[in-house]
Amino acid sequence: MKRIKIIICTVIFLVLIGIMNKSTAMSHYQIVDTSTGIVTADALNVRQGPGTNFKIVTVVYKNEYIRIFAKIGDWYVVQTDSDHIGVASSKYIRLVYPNTSSNSGGASNNSNSSGGSTNITSELTSDEQEVFDLINAKRVANGLSVLKIDDELQNVARIKAQDMVDNNYFSHTSPIYGSPFDMIKNFGISYKTAGENIAGNSSNSGAVNAWMNSEGHKANILNSSFEFTGIGVVKSSKYGKIFVQMFMGK
Protein backbone atom coordinates (compact mmCIF):
# COMPACT_ATOMS: atom_id res chain seq x y z
CA MET A 1 0.00 0.00 0.00
CA LYS A 2 2.81 2.44 0.90
CA ARG A 3 4.54 1.59 -2.38
CA ILE A 4 1.34 2.31 -4.31
CA LYS A 5 0.96 5.66 -2.54
CA ILE A 6 4.59 6.55 -3.31
CA ILE A 7 4.08 5.69 -6.98
CA ILE A 8 0.90 7.80 -7.15
CA CYS A 9 2.59 10.76 -5.45
CA THR A 10 5.55 10.47 -7.84
CA VAL A 11 3.24 10.48 -10.87
CA ILE A 12 1.38 13.53 -9.54
CA PHE A 13 4.68 15.31 -8.91
CA LEU A 14 5.81 14.58 -12.47
CA VAL A 15 2.49 15.86 -13.82
CA LEU A 16 2.92 19.10 -11.90
CA ILE A 17 6.55 19.49 -13.02
CA GLY A 18 5.55 18.88 -16.64
CA ILE A 19 2.80 21.48 -16.41
CA MET A 20 5.10 24.08 -14.84
CA ASN A 21 7.76 23.52 -17.49
CA LYS A 22 5.25 24.01 -20.32
CA SER A 23 3.59 27.13 -18.97
CA THR A 24 5.36 29.70 -16.80
CA ALA A 25 2.03 31.52 -16.37
CA MET A 26 0.81 28.44 -14.51
CA SER A 27 4.01 27.90 -12.53
CA HIS A 28 2.32 28.13 -9.13
CA TYR A 29 -0.15 25.62 -7.78
CA GLN A 30 -2.04 25.53 -4.51
CA ILE A 31 -3.09 22.71 -2.23
CA VAL A 32 -6.86 22.55 -1.70
CA ASP A 33 -8.59 21.64 1.57
CA THR A 34 -10.40 18.66 0.14
CA SER A 35 -9.65 15.27 -1.33
CA THR A 36 -12.94 14.55 -3.09
CA GLY A 37 -15.00 16.21 -5.79
CA ILE A 38 -18.17 15.42 -7.75
CA VAL A 39 -18.39 15.99 -11.51
CA THR A 40 -21.28 18.34 -12.39
CA ALA A 41 -20.92 18.35 -16.19
CA ASP A 42 -22.52 15.66 -18.34
CA ALA A 43 -19.01 14.82 -19.58
CA LEU A 44 -15.75 16.33 -18.39
CA ASN A 45 -12.40 16.03 -20.14
CA VAL A 46 -9.36 15.21 -18.03
CA ARG A 47 -6.34 16.66 -19.80
CA GLN A 48 -2.56 16.50 -19.60
CA GLY A 49 -2.35 20.13 -18.48
CA PRO A 50 -4.38 23.17 -17.39
CA GLY A 51 -5.86 24.29 -20.71
CA THR A 52 -7.97 23.13 -23.62
CA ASN A 53 -4.85 22.98 -25.79
CA PHE A 54 -3.59 19.96 -23.81
CA LYS A 55 -4.43 16.42 -24.95
CA ILE A 56 -7.33 14.57 -23.33
CA VAL A 57 -6.28 11.75 -20.99
CA THR A 58 -9.75 10.40 -20.24
CA VAL A 59 -13.36 11.51 -19.77
CA VAL A 60 -15.39 11.43 -16.53
CA TYR A 61 -19.13 11.79 -16.32
CA LYS A 62 -21.76 13.52 -14.20
CA ASN A 63 -21.99 12.44 -10.55
CA GLU A 64 -18.70 10.52 -10.70
CA TYR A 65 -16.37 11.26 -7.83
CA ILE A 66 -12.71 12.10 -8.33
CA ARG A 67 -9.76 12.62 -6.01
CA ILE A 68 -8.31 16.14 -5.95
CA PHE A 69 -4.66 16.89 -5.18
CA ALA A 70 -4.04 20.54 -6.07
CA LYS A 71 -5.33 23.55 -7.98
CA ILE A 72 -3.60 25.39 -10.83
CA GLY A 73 -5.48 28.54 -11.77
CA ASP A 74 -9.00 27.37 -12.67
CA TRP A 75 -7.95 23.72 -12.97
CA TYR A 76 -7.67 20.81 -10.54
CA VAL A 77 -5.03 18.08 -10.59
CA VAL A 78 -7.15 14.94 -10.23
CA GLN A 79 -7.16 11.17 -10.11
CA THR A 80 -10.15 9.36 -11.57
CA ASP A 81 -11.79 6.15 -10.40
CA SER A 82 -10.01 4.36 -13.25
CA ASP A 83 -6.67 5.64 -11.86
CA HIS A 84 -6.02 8.16 -14.62
CA ILE A 85 -4.17 11.25 -13.40
CA GLY A 86 -4.55 14.60 -15.15
CA VAL A 87 -6.06 18.07 -14.95
CA ALA A 88 -9.73 19.07 -15.20
CA SER A 89 -11.62 22.36 -15.15
CA SER A 90 -12.69 23.38 -11.64
CA LYS A 91 -15.85 24.95 -13.12
CA TYR A 92 -17.39 21.50 -13.48
CA ILE A 93 -16.27 19.92 -10.19
CA ARG A 94 -18.11 20.45 -6.91
CA LEU A 95 -15.97 19.98 -3.81
CA VAL A 96 -17.63 17.50 -1.50
CA TYR A 97 -16.14 17.88 1.96
CA PRO A 98 -12.94 19.40 3.40
CA ASN A 99 -10.28 17.23 4.99
CA THR A 100 -10.16 17.33 8.76
CA SER A 101 -6.63 15.99 8.91
CA SER A 102 -4.93 18.43 6.53
CA ASN A 103 -3.37 20.46 9.34
CA SER A 104 -1.99 17.57 11.32
CA GLY A 105 -1.10 15.19 8.51
CA GLY A 106 -3.53 12.60 9.83
CA ALA A 107 -5.84 12.27 12.78
CA SER A 108 -4.64 10.72 15.98
CA ASN A 109 -7.63 9.17 17.69
CA ASN A 110 -7.31 7.08 20.83
CA SER A 111 -9.83 5.80 23.35
CA ASN A 112 -9.56 4.39 26.85
CA SER A 113 -11.32 1.33 28.20
CA SER A 114 -13.45 3.22 30.71
CA GLY A 115 -15.52 4.81 27.99
CA GLY A 116 -13.99 8.26 28.33
CA SER A 117 -12.71 9.68 25.09
CA THR A 118 -9.15 10.88 24.62
CA ASN A 119 -9.75 11.77 20.97
CA ILE A 120 -8.35 15.04 19.72
CA THR A 121 -11.58 16.99 19.57
CA SER A 122 -10.31 19.28 16.81
CA GLU A 123 -10.53 16.28 14.46
CA LEU A 124 -14.30 16.01 15.02
CA THR A 125 -16.96 18.69 15.12
CA SER A 126 -18.66 19.18 18.50
CA ASP A 127 -21.75 17.32 17.21
CA GLU A 128 -19.69 14.41 15.93
CA GLN A 129 -17.70 14.23 19.16
CA GLU A 130 -20.85 14.11 21.28
CA VAL A 131 -22.38 11.33 19.19
CA PHE A 132 -19.08 9.44 19.31
CA ASP A 133 -18.93 9.69 23.11
CA LEU A 134 -22.59 8.72 23.54
CA ILE A 135 -22.18 5.67 21.32
CA ASN A 136 -19.08 4.49 23.17
CA ALA A 137 -20.82 4.97 26.50
CA LYS A 138 -23.57 2.60 25.29
CA ARG A 139 -20.97 0.04 24.25
CA VAL A 140 -19.08 0.21 27.55
CA ALA A 141 -22.34 -0.14 29.49
CA ASN A 142 -22.91 -3.38 27.58
CA GLY A 143 -19.43 -4.75 28.23
CA LEU A 144 -17.99 -3.95 24.81
CA SER A 145 -14.79 -2.20 23.81
CA VAL A 146 -15.01 1.37 22.56
CA LEU A 147 -14.97 2.18 18.87
CA LYS A 148 -12.10 4.12 17.33
CA ILE A 149 -12.37 6.76 14.64
CA ASP A 150 -11.03 5.65 11.27
CA ASP A 151 -9.95 8.74 9.30
CA GLU A 152 -11.03 7.41 5.90
CA LEU A 153 -14.37 6.10 7.16
CA GLN A 154 -14.93 9.42 8.94
CA ASN A 155 -14.56 11.22 5.63
CA VAL A 156 -17.01 8.86 3.91
CA ALA A 157 -19.63 9.28 6.68
CA ARG A 158 -19.44 13.06 6.31
CA ILE A 159 -19.76 12.85 2.54
CA LYS A 160 -22.81 10.57 2.89
CA ALA A 161 -24.49 12.93 5.39
CA GLN A 162 -23.91 15.93 3.12
CA ASP A 163 -25.11 13.91 0.13
CA MET A 164 -28.40 13.15 1.92
CA VAL A 165 -28.95 16.86 2.58
CA ASP A 166 -27.85 18.06 -0.86
CA ASN A 167 -29.95 15.51 -2.74
CA ASN A 168 -32.91 15.59 -0.34
CA TYR A 169 -33.27 11.89 0.42
CA PHE A 170 -33.34 9.70 3.51
CA SER A 171 -32.08 6.24 2.67
CA HIS A 172 -29.12 3.92 3.10
CA THR A 173 -28.83 3.88 -0.70
CA SER A 174 -27.42 7.05 -2.25
CA PRO A 175 -28.47 8.01 -5.79
CA ILE A 176 -24.80 8.91 -6.38
CA TYR A 177 -22.75 6.48 -4.28
CA GLY A 178 -25.06 3.44 -4.05
CA SER A 179 -25.20 1.29 -0.91
CA PRO A 180 -23.00 2.01 2.14
CA PHE A 181 -20.94 -1.07 1.26
CA ASP A 182 -20.43 0.11 -2.32
CA MET A 183 -19.53 3.57 -1.10
CA ILE A 184 -16.96 2.35 1.44
CA LYS A 185 -15.41 0.05 -1.15
CA ASN A 186 -15.37 2.71 -3.89
CA PHE A 187 -13.50 5.08 -1.59
CA GLY A 188 -10.72 2.50 -1.40
CA ILE A 189 -11.39 1.21 2.13
CA SER A 190 -10.90 -2.49 2.87
CA TYR A 191 -13.09 -4.14 5.51
CA LYS A 192 -14.33 -7.49 6.76
CA THR A 193 -17.62 -6.31 8.25
CA ALA A 194 -19.46 -3.01 7.88
CA GLY A 195 -22.73 -1.31 8.77
CA GLU A 196 -24.47 2.04 8.72
CA ASN A 197 -26.95 3.92 10.92
CA ILE A 198 -28.74 7.05 9.69
CA ALA A 199 -31.08 9.41 11.51
CA GLY A 200 -32.84 12.73 11.19
CA ASN A 201 -33.16 14.47 14.55
CA SER A 202 -32.88 17.89 16.17
CA SER A 203 -30.45 16.72 18.88
CA ASN A 204 -27.44 14.44 19.15
CA SER A 205 -28.78 12.54 22.15
CA GLY A 206 -32.16 12.20 20.44
CA ALA A 207 -30.54 10.53 17.44
CA VAL A 208 -28.57 8.09 19.61
CA ASN A 209 -31.62 7.28 21.75
CA ALA A 210 -33.67 6.63 18.59
CA TRP A 211 -31.00 4.23 17.37
CA MET A 212 -30.91 2.42 20.70
CA ASN A 213 -34.71 2.03 20.58
CA SER A 214 -34.49 0.40 17.15
CA GLU A 215 -33.48 -3.26 17.06
CA GLY A 216 -31.47 -3.04 13.85
CA HIS A 217 -29.66 0.19 14.73
CA LYS A 218 -28.94 -1.01 18.25
CA ALA A 219 -27.46 -4.21 16.82
CA ASN A 220 -24.95 -2.15 14.84
CA ILE A 221 -23.98 -0.07 17.88
CA LEU A 222 -23.50 -3.16 20.05
CA ASN A 223 -21.87 -5.34 17.38
CA SER A 224 -18.64 -6.72 18.86
CA SER A 225 -17.14 -7.30 15.39
CA PHE A 226 -17.09 -3.55 14.71
CA GLU A 227 -13.87 -1.86 15.81
CA PHE A 228 -13.92 1.42 13.89
CA THR A 229 -16.44 4.12 13.11
CA GLY A 230 -16.97 7.34 11.20
CA ILE A 231 -19.63 9.90 12.10
CA GLY A 232 -21.10 12.67 9.96
CA VAL A 233 -23.52 15.28 11.29
CA VAL A 234 -24.85 17.93 8.89
CA LYS A 235 -27.49 20.62 9.41
CA SER A 236 -30.81 19.88 7.75
CA SER A 237 -33.74 22.26 7.20
CA LYS A 238 -36.10 19.28 7.27
CA TYR A 239 -34.88 17.35 10.32
CA GLY A 240 -32.64 19.78 12.17
CA LYS A 241 -29.64 17.51 11.62
CA ILE A 242 -28.82 14.49 9.49
CA PHE A 243 -26.72 11.81 11.21
CA VAL A 244 -24.69 9.10 9.51
CA GLN A 245 -22.63 6.62 11.50
CA MET A 246 -20.62 4.02 9.62
CA PHE A 247 -19.14 0.96 11.34
CA MET A 248 -16.33 -1.28 10.24
CA GLY A 249 -14.36 -4.31 11.30
CA LYS A 250 -11.00 -5.01 9.69
Side-chain angles (χ1 to χ4, degrees):
M1 180 63 70
K2 288 184 178 179
R3 184 178 180 183
I4 293 173
K5 289 182 178 179
I6 291 171
I7 292 172
I8 290 174
C9 289
T10 301
V11 172
I12 294 166
F13 178 75
L14 292 174
V15 169
L16 291 172
I17 291 297
I19 291 168
M20 288 186 283
N21 287 338
K22 289 184 178 181
S23 176
T24 56
M26 295 290 185
S27 61
H28 298 288
Y29 69 92
Q30 64 185 96
I31 301 300
V32 293
D33 293 329
T34 188
S35 61
T36 308
I38 293 291
V39 177
T40 59
D42 290 334
L44 177 62
N45 294 326
V46 178
R47 298 178 178 273
Q48 290 181 344
T52 55
N53 56 311
F54 287 89
K55 291 183 179 180
I56 297 172
V57 176
T58 187
V59 178
V60 288
Y61 298 94
K62 191 171 184 178
N63 292 333
E64 286 189 29
Y65 72 87
I66 53 177
R67 187 177 297 276
I68 299 172
F69 298 99
K71 189 175 185 182
I72 306 173
D74 293 328
W75 299 76
Y76 287 132
V77 179
V78 302
Q79 179 186 9
T80 69
D81 189 42
S82 56
D83 288 333
H84 287 92
I85 293 175
V87 182
S89 174
S90 62
K91 296 178 182 178
Y92 306 106
I93 299 173
R94 176 170 61 85
L95 302 183
V96 177
Y97 206 95
N99 288 327
T100 57
S101 58
S102 58
N103 293 331
S104 62
S108 176
N109 296 295
N110 303 301
S111 303
N112 60 38
S113 59
S114 64
S117 172
T118 59
N119 283 52
I120 300 175
T121 54
S122 62
E123 301 297 342
L124 299 178
T125 67
S126 58
D127 285 331
E128 292 164 352
Q129 186 72 45
E130 183 177 0
V131 172
F132 179 67
D133 291 339
L134 288 170
I135 292 295
N136 273 337
K138 299 296 184 184
R139 286 178 64 91
V140 170
N142 285 272
L144 298 172
S145 61
V146 295
L147 295 169
K148 299 176 183 178
I149 294 291
D150 179 274
D151 293 347
E152 293 178 321
L153 194 63
Q154 175 66 25
N155 185 50
V156 174
R158 285 173 168 170
I159 292 173
K160 174 64 179 290
Q162 190 65 57
D163 180 52
M164 288 174 65
V165 172
D166 290 345
N167 291 292
N168 192 30
Y169 72 94
F170 188 85
S171 171
H172 289 290
T173 302
S174 163
I176 294 176
Y177 299 104
S179 73
F181 310 103
D182 291 334
M183 188 174 183
I184 294 171
K185 181 180 178 180
N186 288 336
F187 272 81
I189 303 174
S190 299
Y191 65 90
K192 290 183 179 179
T193 58
E196 180 188 70
N197 284 354
I198 59 175
N201 205 292
S202 59
S203 72
N204 302 328
S205 60
V208 174
N209 288 335
W211 283 339
M212 290 301 293
N213 289 326
S214 167
E215 184 176 348
H217 295 90
K218 182 179 180 180
N220 276 338
I221 293 172
L222 301 183
N223 189 330
S224 60
S225 69
F226 292 148
E227 309 161 88
F228 301 95
T229 189
I231 300 167
V233 183
V234 176
K235 289 183 180 179
S236 164
S237 59
K238 186 174 183 179
Y239 299 101
K241 299 174 186 177
I242 283 290
F243 299 81
V244 173
Q245 180 170 20
M246 290 184 165
F247 305 86
M248 181 173 65
K250 294 184 179 181

